[in-house]
Amino acid sequence: MTSAPVAKKVPTQRIHHGDLFVDEYEWLRAKDDPEVVEHLKAENAYTDAVTAGQEQLRQDIFNEIKNRTQETDLSVPARKKDWWYYSRTEEGKQYSIHCRVRATDTGDVARDWTPPEVLPGRPVDGEEVLLDGNAEAEGKPFFSLGGLAVSEDGNLLAYCVDNAGDERFTLRIKDLRSGEVLPDEIPNVFYGLAFSPDASQVFYTLVDDSWRPYQVKSHRLGTAVEQDELIYQEDDVAMWTGFDLSADRTQLLIGISCSEYSEYRVLDLTDQGKGLATLIPRSERVLYEPEPLRVEGQLHYLLTHDRGAKNSMVSLVAADQFERPIADQDWRTVVEHDDAVRVHGATVTETHVLVSVRKDTTMRVQILPRRGLATPAQPAPIEPGFDEELYTCNLAGAEFESPLIRLSYTSYFTPARVYDYLLDGGALILRKETEVRGGYRSEDYVAERQWATAADGTRIPLSVLRRRDLRQDGTNPAVIYAYGSYEISMDPGFSISRLSLLDRGIIFVVAHIRGGGEMGRTWYENGKKLSKKNTFTDFVDATDHVAGSGWADPDRIAAIGGSAGGLLVGAVANLAPEKYRAIVAQVPFVDTLTTILDPELPLSALEWEEWGNPITDPEVYQYMKEYTPYENVRATAYPRIAAVTSFNDTRVLYVEPAKWVAKLREVTTGSEPIVLKTEMDGGHGGASGRYERWKDVAWDYAFVADALGATSVLPSAVNVAG
């Protein structure tokens, strides 16, 4: 067996609030140092040697994913103005192909808004290819699209391409009439782009040196990039800036926000000379999102906000009200606050208001007519209903002039569905259910809600997934997965790759721990800042519940988490290493304190709203020091651990897992292997291309299945994956 690389020690001192921390592996941060690159390559070689016996299992899982996936597939066409837009994939090709066909108007609403029948693998009459990701990616080490926008007249396409994995994109513009790519090319832009309604401008965002989006600019087609107009610049390093076009395409909405409050500057696109207008200033500490609409000819804003509403609510406010002090403004209620319902956002069409809410942990969409809005005549919202208990329904599309909206639906064992909902009459039309090949039958599996009890008495929801034929005999292996930060929820969703674990008899548990958003805003607030440790102890308590449920073998439990979920499993490894057979930490945020202490590092200043500011607050510093995984590695028997990262990741730098693995290996008293796998060309999401992503997933799952002794498909599932 190849011996594990031993990182040299170069003591670096860090002093804050009188506390001295000596960091012996900080030298690994020097990305351009050949010695660092060689160390990472040596780690990869060691990882390959340690996991060589898993190669067949990895190949098996990859093949199962491939055999279940309809490789030549397409999205349901969505109508915008005179065209139906869709994307398709082809067998053997890594990336999507973005296309369109012309729409027709007959005057028959149902017919005109019924998507054309486009069948996988068959040529489409009149198809125009807007962008072929495979052609764009040819000869490049990495390929990712950061945005795609078509002008209102359908003549121009703007798109952003990343060829390094560092999430810095090059913006290009293509004339769809001629197929020519225009000379206008803008480097180093961020996600998000939009055309002005008259297609004379493209709006885009730039990031600063710490990868914080801070500028919104306008490029006029045919002019030099150096002449691009700066529309807005945000200088507060703790605020994130982005923009959107309003639903009616009349305003540019520039949002400046952190996780606790926001500010919107709006630009009237019909009269840009008036400049930006501020709605509610950040000094009011209101977290809100606006959507303009006209009521009886007068400009109003539909506000989703948390003013006096922890879980947020929706109000209607006339535009002229924002000229007054906030206490004197007239806000009329559209959706009232509810302690049991989290309101996530609202948008509008010409005739309706659409509200995204979370109720009983699941996402759903509520629909209100604009007639009688915020008056006693306003009717109760309509909510399309579904049969399953655990599901996710999201608004997937709502063109302003459209007579229907598009909904996406999925659950743990229902593949993604696309519905159209007719706003007039309420008919729900199933347009597509994603095909799963290889004899997949949803009835072979069970998803159920269980509740773990935390040490402080809080009930933690768990989604427990398994094959129906498993017995409750305490012998089954289990994987526990969670995230638990930023109010991000781990919502029910179908996963082809997860079937490969389930079919090996592994119970898959999603723990909806505090710090996520599954149970509303308070659930999130009880897992951030000086309550962050609840996130980690909730995971351990969820593990104890699974171990004691009669379903799982307590000695055959593994943990998986990524990014902030990597911080989670890193902290859990220190808290309760004996409870896990293996841990997979994907792009893990494990050197948390060092990162947050350096405002020059990517996104650090933005993170103060999530974790607190340890630079200025000694209590926050001490609290974070008590849980940051790297600084709490101790002499104990750690389980088998794989840290998976990308050299070009701009969100969680490769150095965090590199240092963590070096420290773990130095002090563990156990004999289980601890490995670091670094994708040298990838970004935060790993390698690019769907086949490469499947290989990444297969690697992680094989590592876990091998550790749990669950490498063989159950006899009852042998023929499922073909």
Side-chain angles (χ1 to χ4, degrees):
M1 173 68 72
T2 305
S3 58
V6 178
K8 71 179 183 182
K9 296 182 179 181
V10 180
T12 303
Q13 292 192 352
R14 185 193 76 201
I15 303 175
H16 279 273
H17 307 293
D19 175 68
L20 170 65
F21 173 64
V22 179
D23 189 342
E24 294 173 322
Y25 300 114
E26 177 63 14
W27 67 273
L28 287 166
R29 190 176 300 278
K31 186 178 181 183
D32 297 329
D33 183 342
E35 190 175 359
V36 171
V37 175
E38 285 308 308
H39 176 76
L40 295 178
K41 289 179 177 177
E43 288 281 13
N44 280 346
Y46 174 67
T47 298
D48 289 344
V50 167
T51 64
Q54 298 164 22
E55 177 53 38
Q56 184 59 52
L57 179 57
R58 286 197 288 268
Q59 192 60 49
D60 289 347
I61 293 174
F62 175 85
N63 289 337
E64 289 160 18
I65 297 170
K66 191 172 187 294
N67 292 341
R68 284 187 169 112
T69 300
Q70 176 61 49
E71 292 187 66
T72 299
D73 203 3
L74 46 93
S75 62
V76 179
R79 183 165 180 176
K80 179 182 178 183
K81 300 292 186 184
D82 298 327
W83 296 88
W84 290 98
Y85 293 87
Y86 58 97
S87 62
R88 56 183 174 84
T89 54
E90 294 181 0
E91 186 167 356
K93 294 186 176 180
Q94 297 263 32
Y95 302 99
S96 293
I97 302 164
H98 300 270
C99 310
R100 70 179 181 181
V101 293
R102 193 170 283 280
T104 55
D105 285 312
T106 66
D108 180 337
V109 170
R111 182 176 171 186
D112 293 345
W113 287 88
T114 297
E117 187 176 28
V118 184
L119 299 173
R122 294 196 191 171
V124 180
D125 287 342
E127 177 181 89
E128 291 185 16
V129 173
L130 308 180
L131 191 75
D132 183 344
N134 303 287
E136 290 288 325
E138 198 167 335
K140 308 290 196 308
F142 183 91
F143 172 75
S144 176
L145 274 179
L148 201 67
V150 178
S151 59
E152 288 289 290
D153 60 13
N155 291 333
L156 298 173
L157 171 76
Y159 61 100
C160 297
V161 173
D162 170 17
N163 290 131
D166 60 2
E167 297 181 270
R168 286 177 168 84
F169 300 87
T170 299
L171 191 160
R172 299 188 177 99
I173 300 166
K174 181 178 181 180
D175 188 325
L176 296 175
R177 293 161 294 189
S178 65
E180 175 192 7
V181 176
L182 303 182
D184 308 67
E185 184 174 293
I186 307 169
N188 294 319
V189 307
F190 192 58
Y191 293 97
L193 68 164
F195 281 103
S196 60
D198 66 0
S200 66
Q201 299 163 271
V202 176
F203 301 107
Y204 62 93
T205 310
L206 292 178
V207 294
D208 64 12
D209 291 339
S210 67
W211 200 72
R212 176 185 67 94
Y214 79 119
Q215 287 184 337
V216 176
K217 299 187 93 171
S218 163
H219 173 74
R220 289 201 172 270
L221 272 65
T223 66
V225 172
E226 294 76 27
Q227 296 173 8
D228 286 1
E229 179 187 357
L230 177 63
I231 294 178
Y232 181 75
Q233 176 169 315
E234 176 55 50
D235 294 323
D236 185 338
V237 296
M239 301 294 278
W240 178 290
T241 304
F243 71 84
D244 216 335
L245 286 188
S246 61
D248 64 6
R249 303 292 192 268
T250 63
Q251 295 191 11
L252 185 72
L253 309 173
I254 298 176
I256 307 107
S257 64
C258 62
S259 65
E260 298 187 343
Y261 53 88
S262 57
E263 173 178 288
Y264 270 81
R265 311 277 180 104
V266 301
L267 180 67
D268 183 345
L269 294 175
T270 65
D271 186 4
Q272 296 188 33
K274 290 193 298 191
L276 294 174
T278 300
L279 299 183
I280 305 165
R282 69 192 73 182
S283 57
E284 298 293 349
R285 293 301 192 260
V286 177
L287 188 63
Y288 71 100
E289 293 179 355
E291 186 64 64
L293 73 167
R294 291 198 170 268
V295 179
E296 297 177 351
Q298 185 186 4
L299 179 61
H300 286 66
Y301 287 90
L302 195 68
L303 294 185
T304 304
H305 66 90
D306 70 349
R307 184 183 174 208
K310 176 87 76 172
N311 269 339
S312 293
M313 60 184 292
V314 181
S315 299
L316 184 66
V317 186
D320 59 13
Q321 293 292 312
F322 296 115
E323 298 168 10
R324 306 177 181 180
I326 194 168
D328 298 336
Q329 295 173 12
D330 179 23
W331 293 26
R332 290 182 284 154
T333 298
V334 174
V335 177
E336 61 188 14
H337 179 256
D338 186 332
D339 285 334
V341 179
R342 177 76 166 101
V343 178
H344 279 286
T347 189
V348 298
T349 70
E350 222 163 24
T351 57
H352 286 75
V353 170
L354 315 168
V355 186
S356 295
V357 302
R358 181 180 301 281
K359 187 164 65 174
D360 300 328
T361 77
T362 61
M363 285 298 296
R364 48 196 77 197
V365 177
Q366 296 183 341
I367 299 151
L368 278 165
R370 282 175 57 168
R371 186 183 63 257
L373 199 65
T375 72
Q378 176 183 305
I382 295 169
E383 185 180 294
F386 302 96
D387 296 335
E388 296 177 277
E389 177 197 8
L390 304 178
Y391 68 88
T392 302
C393 177
N394 284 313
L395 183 65
E399 281 296 302
F400 188 69
E401 302 86 359
S402 172
L404 51 79
I405 59 172
R406 180 150 291 173
L407 302 175
S408 64
Y409 176 92
T410 184
S411 73
Y412 287 116
F413 296 117
T414 301
R417 290 177 178 171
V418 174
Y419 288 96
D420 280 342
Y421 178 88
L422 292 177
L423 293 169
D424 184 9
L428 193 62
I429 305 165
L430 177 63
R431 298 297 192 194
K432 179 180 181 180
E433 178 172 320
T434 303
E435 180 184 354
V436 180
R437 301 167 61 205
Y440 170 72
R441 302 189 325 150
S442 61
E443 58 267 32
D444 291 339
Y445 305 89
V446 178
E448 57 189 15
R449 171 57 38 83
Q450 294 183 17
W451 297 85
T453 303
D456 64 4
T458 301
R459 297 178 76 228
I460 307 157
L462 311 178
S463 296
V464 181
L465 319 179
R466 59 177 171 83
R467 281 192 61 86
R468 189 177 293 277
D469 53 14
L470 288 192
R471 294 181 179 174
Q472 192 174 0
D473 60 7
T475 66
N476 301 299
V479 166
I480 304 179
Y481 173 82
Y483 187 77
S485 290
Y486 304 109
E487 203 184 353
I488 292 173
S489 299
M490 297 295 102
D491 288 325
F494 186 77
S495 165
I496 281 179
S497 56
R498 190 171 57 218
L499 297 175
S500 291
L501 292 182
L502 298 173
D503 283 352
R504 286 171 171 77
I506 296 171
I507 296 169
F508 196 97
V509 180
V510 182
H512 305 286
I513 54 183
R514 282 175 283 187
E518 288 90 343
M519 301 285 281
R521 185 72 178 182
T522 301
W523 193 252
Y524 162 55
E525 291 178 348
N526 287 341
K528 67 183 288 196
K529 290 189 174 177
L530 294 176
S531 298
K532 189 66 210 169
K533 291 178 187 176
N534 286 334
T535 303
F536 315 136
T537 55
D538 280 2
F539 191 91
V540 175
D541 292 333
T543 303
D544 288 341
H545 172 90
V546 172
S549 67
W551 283 103
D553 179 346
D555 293 326
R556 298 174 72 200
I557 294 176
I560 300 178
S563 199
L567 157 63
L568 163 68
V569 297
V572 164
N574 292 329
L575 283 174
E578 73 286 354
K579 296 182 188 292
Y580 304 94
R581 179 69 66 88
I583 290 174
V584 174
Q586 302 154 328
V587 289
F589 185 34
V590 283
D591 193 16
T592 325
L593 186 52
T594 299
T595 297
I596 302 298
L597 282 168
D598 186 350
E600 299 302 313
L601 286 177
L603 305 181
S604 287
L606 292 163
E607 299 289 349
W608 295 334
E609 298 300 334
E610 184 73 18
W611 317 96
N613 186 346
I615 299 172
T616 59
D617 190 332
E619 185 183 10
V620 170
Y621 176 91
Q622 181 58 36
Y623 188 81
M624 292 187 71
K625 187 175 175 65
E626 289 168 6
Y627 71 70
T628 187
Y630 174 60
E631 295 181 38
N632 287 281
V633 172
R634 57 193 172 91
T636 189
Y638 282 93
R640 194 174 307 187
I641 293 175
V644 181
T645 188
S646 292
F647 192 51
N648 291 322
D649 194 333
T650 46
R651 302 192 191 206
V652 179
L653 302 184
Y654 74 89
V655 66
E656 299 201 28
K659 289 167 62 173
W660 181 54
V661 165
K663 188 70 175 176
L664 282 167
R665 224 183 260 144
E666 176 197 342
V667 304
T668 184
T669 60
S671 58
E672 290 288 348
I674 295 167
V675 300
L676 174 69
K677 174 175 171 271
T678 304
E679 170 59 57
M680 298 308 284
D681 290 324
H684 192 63
S688 67
R690 57 177 174 164
Y691 299 115
E692 299 308 314
R693 285 196 300 274
W694 295 349
K695 288 176 185 174
D696 286 347
V697 171
W699 195 96
D700 294 351
Y701 281 3
F703 185 88
V704 163
D706 181 62
L708 295 176
T711 58
S712 300
V713 172
L714 297 179
S716 57
V718 160
N719 296 318
V720 169

